[in-house]
């Protein structure tokens, strides 16, 4: 599965990712970061609340599970903050 960054400037192959995690940035919000084995990570999205960031991780997980179930190739577009409803 592919994940496209929120700013639409990166496409990342999920198979190459070591992990996806939430990082507190400041009182203004949270980042979703990817890490790669043996390399530096990248930020792929920002959200104003931790709840929204968690919701997006849930969306990625669900999208991945569905793609594996039906053996289809998908890409996941990181939504903008205002598009995530918690």
């Amino acid at each position: 599965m592919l994940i496209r960054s929120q700013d639409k400037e990166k496409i990342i192959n999920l198979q190459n990712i070591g992990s996806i995690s939430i990082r507190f940035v400041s009182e203004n919000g949270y980042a979703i970061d990817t890490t790669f084995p043996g390399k530096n990570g990248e930020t792929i999205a920002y959200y104003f609340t931790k709840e929204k960031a968690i919701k997006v991780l849930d969306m990625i997980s669900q999208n991945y599970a569905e793609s594996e179930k039906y053996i289809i190739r998908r890409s996941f577009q990181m939504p903008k903050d205002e598009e995530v409803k918690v």
Side-chain angles (χ1 to χ4, degrees), residues 38-53:
K39 297 182 182 177
N40 292 334
E42 293 190 44
T43 298
I44 57 174
Y46 292 96
Y47 297 98
F48 288 115
T49 67
K50 188 174 184 179
E51 291 77 17
K52 285 185 177 185

Side-chain angles (χ1 to χ4, degrees), residues 4 11 15 20 27 32 38-39 42 55 60 62 66:
R4 189 168 184 181
I11 295 177
Q15 291 178 329
I20 302 174
E27 62 278 350
I32 294 185
K39 297 182 182 177
E42 293 190 44
K55 177 69 174 180
I60 292 170
Q62 180 179 5
E66 288 174 7

